[in-house]
Amino acid sequence: MLLVGAGLAGIVAHGFWLFAAVVLAVVATSSPRTLAAWGLMVYLGVAALTLPHDGWTWRFALLLLGLHVLHVVAAFSLALPSGGQVAVRVLAAPVRRLVAIQVPAQALAAVVLLTLAPGGEAPHLRPVAVVAGAALLVGVVLLVWRWRAPR
């Protein structure tokens, strides 16, 4: 969690604000029960608003992915006892869910930012946005449906 949080902080924050984000990442890692990870996620999202808005950028793509990864890792850290270990096999299902959500989310975000952001020069991609949005919606519905289904 520390690596993901500090890495994302390095992407969107500078100076004192970078230091504050790294401190939040350290607190979130050392004491997951404080829920500092979710505070860090909000902090990073707000910090991203201070970045120049030039449509789709690698920073935005990494932030979108990184916040999702940070959320998943933080949730796992709440479930693990202090000093506990995770078997690598256990991570297969969460990684599949992460990919199932991130692929259409990244595509939707890219197309929306390329077509609707100031200076967006790709209006011909709007149908792709509709398809990516529909895929994201279907993916979320299927994941929720499967999660709620009795086992």
Side-chain angles (χ1 to χ4, degrees):
M1 186 172 353
L2 180 60
L3 293 176
V4 174
L8 290 174
I11 291 173
V12 298
H14 304 289
F16 171 77
W17 302 110
L18 174 61
F19 174 75
V22 170
V23 168
L24 269 173
V26 168
V27 171
T29 303
S30 62
S31 182
R33 303 266 181 241
T34 62
L35 304 179
W38 283 271
L40 176 62
M41 288 178 238
V42 170
Y43 182 84
L44 293 172
V46 170
L49 295 175
T50 65
L51 296 174
H53 299 288
D54 15 341
W56 183 252
T57 63
W58 64 270
R59 285 180 185 209
F60 181 79
L62 278 178
L63 185 65
L64 186 61
L65 173 64
L67 288 176
H68 191 173
V69 169
L70 189 60
H71 169 69
V72 171
V73 172
F76 269 120
S77 72
L78 287 175
L80 281 175
S82 182
Q85 295 180 355
V86 175
V88 177
R89 295 182 334 190
V90 173
L91 299 177
V95 168
R96 282 193 305 269
R97 284 190 296 267
L98 183 105
V99 170
I101 295 297
Q102 278 298 306
V103 168
Q106 292 280 358
L108 179 63
V111 172
V112 166
L113 288 172
L114 287 171
T115 58
L116 300 178
E121 300 182 15
H124 60 283
L125 290 178
R126 287 188 180 135
V128 177
V130 172
V131 171
L136 182 61
L137 181 63
V138 167
V140 169
V141 167
L142 288 175
L143 286 173
V144 170
W145 179 57
R146 183 170 181 218
W147 175 67
R148 290 181 151 275
R151 296 176 196 243

